[in-house]
């Protein structure tokens, strides 16, 4: 009987793999199209604006004294959490390479814009990036609230949480009242943080 299988081993292997390559290519194309066209999946603009946070972290009530923390601002000046006594302060630990940190920055900026006159500020503490990277990030995202550098990641140790992003709301008396890990939306900030500004 004649052997009708004249394919070489390499040809047989390509014949088996080809359908998988086609399926994989199709999935990649669908993912790219979804990223571009579906709402809330891609980024907007070139100035660092990103899509809204689709699944916001929810703050939990806590009650402990804010840590003593002195770091440097973007001008190299020593700054301390104690300098902000009498205000409500949202401390946000973040890094330039962290996708959820990028996603929530426009939300934090929008909240700050709405409430910076209400004895409220945000202090964004970068975890370990170079000063150049932090300054570029601040420029790209148009951040106007205080940003501190933390080359030794002291803030992560002080708050005993190495997750990024992680945030804490400190009341005017220096007590941490809210905490959460993960990206937060503007709507969640309004719901949970704004009542503390109205006390």
């Amino acid at each position: 009987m004649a052997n009708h299988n004249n394919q070489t081993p390499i040809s047989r292997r390509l014949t088996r793999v080809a359908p998988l390559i086609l399926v994989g290519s199709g999935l990649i194309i669908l993912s790219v199209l979804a990223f571009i066209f579906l709402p809330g999946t891609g980024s907007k603009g070139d100035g660092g604006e990103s899509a809204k946070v689709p699944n916001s972290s929810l703050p939990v009530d806590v009650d402990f004294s804010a840590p003593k923390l002195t770091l440097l601002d973007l001008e190299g000046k020593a700054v301390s959490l104690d300098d902000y006594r009498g205000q409500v302060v949202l401390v946000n630990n973040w890094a330039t390479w962290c996708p959820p940190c990028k996603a929530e920055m426009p939300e934090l900026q929008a909240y700050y814009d709405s409430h910076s006159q209400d004895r409220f500020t945000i202090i964004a503490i970068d975890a370990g990036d170079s000063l150049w990277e932090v300054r570029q990030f601040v420029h790209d995202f148009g951040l106007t609230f205080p940003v501190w550098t933390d080359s030794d990641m002291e803030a992560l140790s002080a708050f005993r949480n190495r997750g990024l992003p992680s945030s804490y709301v400190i009341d005017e008396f220096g007590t941490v009242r809210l905490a959460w890990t993960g990206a937060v939306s503007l709507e969640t900030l309004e719901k949970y943080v704004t009542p503390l500004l109205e006390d």
Side-chain angles (χ1 to χ4, degrees), residues 39-69:
T41 56
S43 61
K44 303 180 292 183
D46 297 323
E49 296 178 14
S50 64
K52 290 185 176 181
V53 176
N55 297 305
S56 177
S57 294
L58 296 180
V60 296
D61 292 324
V62 294
D63 184 4
F64 61 90
S65 296
K68 299 293 183 183
L69 194 60

Side-chain angles (χ1 to χ4, degrees), residues 12 66 73 100 104 109 194:
R12 286 194 297 272
D73 65 14
E104 74 173 354
Q109 182 63 53
T194 302

